[in-house]
């Protein structure tokens, strides 16, 4: 038989996750749309989106990049959109960490792939990841747009990114990551609509 205390814990966790996402929906939906407008504009001009993060945020960066390059929903037939997760090449990451130091590994990859007018999206549940912070600073210096998905109070990265979504939770990374991927899905959905890929039959939630 299930442990009633664990069932209560599961309910509490899911309710808390839903509560946090509802708070972000109420307070920051407009900012998500602004980000989507920027991303769609850059794509339409031939630019690209670079994404970076550590740990679970690295997985989220790869997840979102794949949904842009391959597909998000099978009902929407569209061209591939240029998104690169800077976290996927283990040779580059380990060489960068060994030769340059891990704090600069995303800067180096942004230098390789980024161009003026592109976008760098950094993900950090604390808002203080040094390598994400440095990559965003580098991108700004090179004339790239900078976006961030953050947690807690936004940390240092909030002060340097052009636009940020801050999940107001600082107890652990899990609830923040759950909200980040939901926000990322909303962003992609909006990008597809803004770029004219969705017909009326696709206008569902």
């Amino acid at each position: 038989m299930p442990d009633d205390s664990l069932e209560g814990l599961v309910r509490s966790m899911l309710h808390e996750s839903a509560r946090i996402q509802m708070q972000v929906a109420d307070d920051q939906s407009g900012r998500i749309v602004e980000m989507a407008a920027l991303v769609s504009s850059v794509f339409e001009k031939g630019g690209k989106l670079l994404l970076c993060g550590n740990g679970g945020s690295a997985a989220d960066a790869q997840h979102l990049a794949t949904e842009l390059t391959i597909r998000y929903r099978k009902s929407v037939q569209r061209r591939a959109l240029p998104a690169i997760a800077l976290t996927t090449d283990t040779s580059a990451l380990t060489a960068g960490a060994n030769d340059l130091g891990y704090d600069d590994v995303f800067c180096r990859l942004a230098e390789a792939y980024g161009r003026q007018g592109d976008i760098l999206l950094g993900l950090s549940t604390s808002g203080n990841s040094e390598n994400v912070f440095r990559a965003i600073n580098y991108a700004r210096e090179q004339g790239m747009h900078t976006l961030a998905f953050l947690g807690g109070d936004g940390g240092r990265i909030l002060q340097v990114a052009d636009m940020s979504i801050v999940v107001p939770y600082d107890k652990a990374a899990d609830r923040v990551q759950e909200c980040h991927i939901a926000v990322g899905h909303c962003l992609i959905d909006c990008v597809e609509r803004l770029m004219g890929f969705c017909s009326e039959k696709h206008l569902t939630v």
Side-chain angles (χ1 to χ4, degrees):
M1 295 292 292
D3 186 325
D4 288 344
S5 65
L6 289 180
E7 288 186 14
L9 174 64
V10 169
R11 284 195 297 272
S12 177
M13 291 168 65
L14 291 173
H15 288 167
E16 180 72 349
S17 185
R19 182 195 66 77
I20 293 167
Q21 291 188 42
M22 288 175 66
Q23 184 175 348
V24 170
D26 290 341
D27 296 343
Q28 301 182 66
S29 290
R31 180 53 57 86
I32 296 169
V33 173
E34 289 179 30
M35 287 183 170
L38 174 62
V39 173
S40 61
S41 174
V42 167
F43 283 158
E44 287 169 343
K45 294 174 183 175
K48 70 183 80 68
L49 173 66
L50 308 179
L51 304 93
C52 63
N54 299 283
S57 295
D60 287 345
Q62 293 164 210
H63 180 155
L64 296 173
T66 297
E67 287 175 330
L68 288 164
T69 56
I70 304 303
R71 77 178 182 192
Y72 174 53
R73 286 181 172 166
K74 65 180 181 180
S75 59
V76 178
Q77 302 299 314
R78 57 155 170 87
R79 64 180 175 87
L81 297 171
I84 302 172
L86 303 181
T87 55
T88 56
D89 187 336
T90 54
S91 293
L93 290 177
T94 53
N98 186 64
D99 299 347
L100 307 175
Y102 192 60
D103 287 345
D104 288 319
V105 69
F106 294 143
C107 282
R108 187 64 167 177
L109 293 171
E111 180 182 351
Y113 299 124
R115 298 293 180 268
Q116 184 175 358
D118 286 345
I119 301 172
L120 177 72
L121 169 58
L123 295 89
S124 172
T125 58
S126 67
N128 293 310
S129 301
E130 182 65 25
N131 52 11
V132 176
F133 176 80
R134 292 192 188 191
I136 287 178
N137 270 325
Y138 172 82
R140 289 186 68 185
E141 291 170 357
Q142 303 307 309
M144 297 174 63
H145 306 283
T146 56
L147 307 178
F149 290 178
L150 308 171
D153 63 3
R156 299 170 66 205
I157 296 171
L158 180 64
Q159 308 305 316
V160 296
D162 296 333
M163 287 191 282
S164 300
I165 297 297
V166 180
V167 179
Y169 186 86
D170 60 5
K171 296 177 183 178
D174 45 10
R175 302 290 85 85
V176 178
Q177 289 168 342
E178 290 157 5
C179 193
H180 280 176
I181 203 63
V183 168
H185 284 159
C186 292
L187 179 79
I188 293 170
D189 200 307
C190 290
V191 166
E192 289 187 338
R193 294 168 197 259
L194 288 166
M195 295 185 73
F197 295 124
C198 297
S199 64
E200 286 299 319
K201 68 179 180 180
H202 302 131
L203 297 180
T204 62
V205 295

